[in-house]
Amino acid sequence: FMKLDKKDMLLYAVTDRSWLGCESLSFQVERILEGGVTFVQHREKMLRADRFLEEARTLKGVCEKFGVPFVINDNVDIAIASGAHGVHIGQEDMEAKTVRRLIGKDMILGVSVRSVEEAIRAERDGADYLGAGAVFHTDSKPDAQYISHELLKDICSAVSIPVVAIGGINKENIKYLSQSGISGAAVISAIFAQDDLKKAAAELRKEIEGCLT
């Protein structure tokens, strides 16, 4: 099992098939890991369960080659069956304490939060880290509720587990997240929508290290 380290949270990438073109997701994930991504969440809404499982196993292998944690979004069954290092859930999904019971104590559990109350409850219910957002406008979830910089700071100081900011983050606006207490930033299009994935990851990694350390 992979134990979570705060520095694993620095550059957290969430997969998205929208920009695959003729490449495979495993090829793209390998590129972003070469560029310096420190954590991968496999988010998949379209694939049939058998294809999803097969892909999850492949991606887990790629992540392990780089020593990077690999979690599945929302799907506890796939996370367990694929041997992923953990699972990430939102407030609309299963309750964190239920998920913790299903995955046991060794798998990583991440929970999305939008308030201090949700953050405290998630930590109490067994979360290893939190995803807080949306911190900026995001096209991947146009109806996402915003959280202010102040609220982000409050969430970070209310818990002892790492918090990653998510939502519309790119290399231009990431500097506004400094001094908030976050351990890292979660991105989708800031990496996957770019022409050179490895370069995009490397540039973001540099920006984040600059404003968080």
Side-chain angles (χ1 to χ4, degrees), residues 111-125:
V111 180
S112 297
V113 300
R114 289 186 293 264
S115 70
V116 170
E117 295 71 35
E118 287 176 356
I120 292 168
R121 188 170 64 238
E123 182 175 35
R124 192 188 60 221
D125 289 347

Side-chain angles (χ1 to χ4, degrees), residues 41 43 45 72-76 87-99 109-114 121 141:
Q41 179 194 131
R43 184 164 174 241
K45 305 291 184 196
I72 302 286
N73 179 273
D74 288 355
N75 195 317
V76 175
V87 66
H88 185 96
I89 57 164
Q91 292 296 321
E92 296 74 36
D93 304 314
M94 219 185 286
E95 280 203 322
K97 56 173 178 277
T98 309
V99 176
L109 175 58
V111 180
S112 297
V113 300
R114 289 186 293 264
R121 188 170 64 238
K141 284 197 173 176

Side-chain angles (χ1 to χ4, degrees), residues 24-106:
S24 68
L25 196 56
S26 59
F27 174 79
Q28 291 199 341
V29 167
E30 185 131 12
R31 297 291 292 156
I32 68 172
L33 289 166
E34 285 168 357
V37 161
T38 59
F39 197 106
V40 175
Q41 179 194 131
H42 188 20
R43 184 164 174 241
E44 186 46 70
K45 305 291 184 196
M46 313 305 283
L47 285 186
R48 284 204 330 257
D50 55 340
R51 290 278 318 284
F52 187 6
L53 177 58
E54 190 186 338
E55 189 167 76
R57 284 181 172 143
T58 305
L59 295 183
K60 182 206 170 204
V62 175
C63 289
E64 288 199 321
K65 202 165 84 175
F66 288 83
V68 164
F70 172 71
V71 301
I72 302 286
N73 179 273
D74 288 355
N75 195 317
V76 175
D77 294 341
I78 297 278
I80 293 169
S82 65
H85 305 122
V87 66
H88 185 96
I89 57 164
Q91 292 296 321
E92 296 74 36
D93 304 314
M94 219 185 286
E95 280 203 322
K97 56 173 178 277
T98 309
V99 176
R100 176 49 80 200
R101 218 168 35 239
L102 291 170
I103 64 175
K105 65 182 193 313
D106 292 323

Side-chain angles (χ1 to χ4, degrees):
F1 284 104
M2 194 170 277
K3 271 290 161 248
L4 192 63
D5 188 318
K6 192 177 151 202
K7 61 180 188 296
D8 294 332
M9 310 309 299
L10 198 61
L11 180 51
Y12 182 123
V14 181
T15 65
D16 191 323
R17 322 187 74 74
S18 308
W19 300 284
L20 279 183
C22 54
E23 293 170 353
S24 68
L25 196 56
S26 59
F27 174 79
Q28 291 199 341
V29 167
E30 185 131 12
R31 297 291 292 156
I32 68 172
L33 289 166
E34 285 168 357
V37 161
T38 59
F39 197 106
V40 175
Q41 179 194 131
H42 188 20
R43 184 164 174 241
E44 186 46 70
K45 305 291 184 196
M46 313 305 283
L47 285 186
R48 284 204 330 257
D50 55 340
R51 290 278 318 284
F52 187 6
L53 177 58
E54 190 186 338
E55 189 167 76
R57 284 181 172 143
T58 305
L59 295 183
K60 182 206 170 204
V62 175
C63 289
E64 288 199 321
K65 202 165 84 175
F66 288 83
V68 164
F70 172 71
V71 301
I72 302 286
N73 179 273
D74 288 355
N75 195 317
V76 175
D77 294 341
I78 297 278
I80 293 169
S82 65
H85 305 122
V87 66
H88 185 96
I89 57 164
Q91 292 296 321
E92 296 74 36
D93 304 314
M94 219 185 286
E95 280 203 322
K97 56 173 178 277
T98 309
V99 176
R100 176 49 80 200
R101 218 168 35 239
L102 291 170
I103 64 175
K105 65 182 193 313
D106 292 323
M107 277 173 81
I108 297 167
L109 175 58
V111 180
S112 297
V113 300
R114 289 186 293 264
S115 70
V116 170
E117 295 71 35
E118 287 176 356
I120 292 168
R121 188 170 64 238
E123 182 175 35
R124 192 188 60 221
D125 289 347
D128 295 300
Y129 75 88
L130 306 175
V135 290
F136 302 113
H137 173 75
T138 166
D139 290 331
S140 69
K141 284 197 173 176
D143 54 349
Q145 289 170 297
Y146 288 113
I147 65 170
S148 66
H149 188 83
E150 283 312 304
L151 180 51
L152 183 61
K153 276 170 84 160
D154 291 345
I155 287 171
C156 291
S157 46
V159 294
S160 58
I161 53 178
V163 177
V164 288
I166 188 160
I169 299 167
N170 57 43
K171 67 175 198 281
E172 281 73 44
N173 62 23
I174 198 157
K175 58 180 174 290
Y176 300 115
L177 298 173
S178 67
Q179 312 298 305
S180 60
I182 56 169
S183 298
V187 296
I188 305 175
S189 61
I191 291 181
F192 286 103
Q194 310 311 307
D195 293 334
D196 184 335
L197 272 59
K198 182 177 173 180
K199 180 166 164 255
E203 287 174 354
L204 263 169
R205 169 86 182 249
K206 206 168 134 204
E207 286 296 324
I208 292 174
E209 283 177 334
C211 72
L212 293 192
T213 45

